[in-house]
Amino acid sequence: MHDEVLHRLLESADGPPLIAYEARGEIPLRETDWHSHVRGQFFYVEQGLFITRTEHGSYLLPPHRAGWMPPGMMHTVSIAGPSHAWGVFIAPCAASVLPDRPCVVGVNDLFRAIVKRAATWPVDVATAEPEPERERLFAVLLDELRRAPVEALHLPMPLDRRLRRVAMAMYENPHDTRGIDDWANWAGMSSRTLTRLFRQETQCSVAQWRQQARLTRGLERLAHGEPVSVVSDALGYATPSAFVAMFRRAFGDSPGRYLARQATGT
């Protein structure tokens, strides 16, 4: 299916409730800019690291995960390394049973099999009619998505203008080791206010958020093939072993083994 034809179909609430397609290599340019879709979107990743950003924060999609984006939600998508993914678009009327916030979920073999089957279905908005087989598979897919485990691959972003300025500075400069008092002074507020509001808006402390931001940036750079020593230095860690220890606490494995597991789905 040509890209322009697919784009037209995906931006229509009419037609088939489920449209799936396979994507290899570069994603369309319009996906890298801020945009939204009429339909809800699941993006299932087989290879590569996808980073989706919304007003609610950033979401990491390693291989064998699916990112959910509700209809009409503004977002951007970027990828690190060679990529292979499956786009799954769901009509707004059917998406109403799914979460109203973006999230990252783990998926199983049944989900993958249905998505790959759906990607082979011919799509024509003008003539497409419901077919019993497709309706049954679509119902099973929705059941699997509703039951899929939500994974902690989300970096929440505060909405307060001052906190957002601090968070963006921390994210863009992960090597910056300034303490809370310095950040609060830079943002024009007391350290107590910064600490209280940050936890209130992100559900985590400043230190926890900064560590998650470093993990996000670290995973992105590792997926691009940068050595652990280079990544740890860029993130402000005193030694590579300190970065590896933090990574192991968060993901249960060393960076090399974690990325190898993600690539094979084990």
Side-chain angles (χ1 to χ4, degrees):
M1 185 183 302
H2 294 301
D3 182 62
E4 290 305 319
V5 175
L6 177 62
H7 179 67
R8 175 171 54 83
L9 298 178
L10 298 182
E11 296 310 322
S12 172
D14 300 323
L18 170 66
I19 298 175
Y21 70 95
E22 185 177 11
R24 290 182 181 271
E26 294 296 322
I27 57 177
L29 181 61
R30 58 177 157 264
E31 293 287 331
T32 63
D33 297 326
W34 284 97
H35 66 286
S36 64
H37 297 292
V38 172
R39 290 169 174 256
Q41 179 185 21
F42 265 101
F43 213 62
Y44 164 59
V45 180
E46 284 207 24
Q47 182 183 20
L49 177 70
F50 286 63
I51 302 97
T52 300
R53 294 182 175 88
T54 74
E55 66 174 2
H56 301 293
S58 298
Y59 300 79
L60 290 177
L61 277 70
H64 310 292
R65 306 296 193 280
W68 166 242
M69 191 63 58
M73 179 73 66
M74 293 293 294
H75 64 283
T76 68
V77 180
S78 59
I79 57 176
S83 68
H84 180 198
W86 302 79
V88 182
F89 287 81
I90 298 176
C93 58
S96 61
V97 300
L98 296 173
D100 59 1
R101 284 283 192 97
C103 60
V104 178
V105 299
V107 296
N108 56 27
D109 291 340
L110 179 58
F111 175 93
R112 290 191 287 270
I114 295 175
V115 168
K116 292 178 181 180
R117 170 71 67 84
T120 68
W121 293 341
V123 179
D124 187 334
V125 171
T127 60
E129 296 181 358
E131 295 183 7
E133 178 190 357
R134 296 187 187 185
E135 289 186 328
R136 289 194 295 269
L137 285 176
F138 182 49
V140 174
L141 183 69
L142 288 180
D143 285 341
E144 291 302 308
L145 292 176
R146 283 195 294 263
R147 294 200 300 254
V150 176
E151 303 208 3
L153 293 169
H154 173 214
L155 180 67
M157 185 64 68
L159 297 178
D160 181 275
R161 178 180 55 81
R162 299 164 299 174
L163 297 184
R164 201 175 187 89
R165 182 168 173 247
V166 170
M168 287 303 300
M170 288 181 176
Y171 183 81
E172 293 173 357
N173 304 280
H175 57 279
D176 193 324
T177 58
R178 277 183 285 179
I180 290 179
D181 289 341
D182 293 326
W183 283 115
N185 183 63
W186 182 73
M189 60 174 62
S190 69
S191 57
R192 174 176 291 185
T193 299
L194 173 64
T195 301
R196 176 177 56 82
L197 289 181
F198 210 95
R199 182 176 290 279
Q200 179 179 311
E201 295 206 6
T202 67
Q203 310 307 310
C204 56
S205 69
V206 176
Q208 291 169 333
W209 191 95
R210 180 154 55 179
Q211 176 172 295
Q212 185 66 14
R214 285 174 167 173
L215 276 173
T216 301
R217 299 302 301 275
L219 265 177
E220 187 173 355
R221 298 182 73 134
L222 289 167
H224 274 296
E226 293 187 29
V228 169
S229 59
V230 174
V231 174
S232 65
D233 184 63
L235 298 182
Y237 286 89
T239 63
S241 59
F243 168 68
V244 171
M246 182 275 296
F247 194 97
R248 194 185 298 275
R249 285 195 299 272
F251 293 109
D253 222 332
S254 67
R257 290 179 60 85
Y258 175 82
L259 291 174
R261 276 195 297 113
Q262 298 309 310
T264 59
T266 58

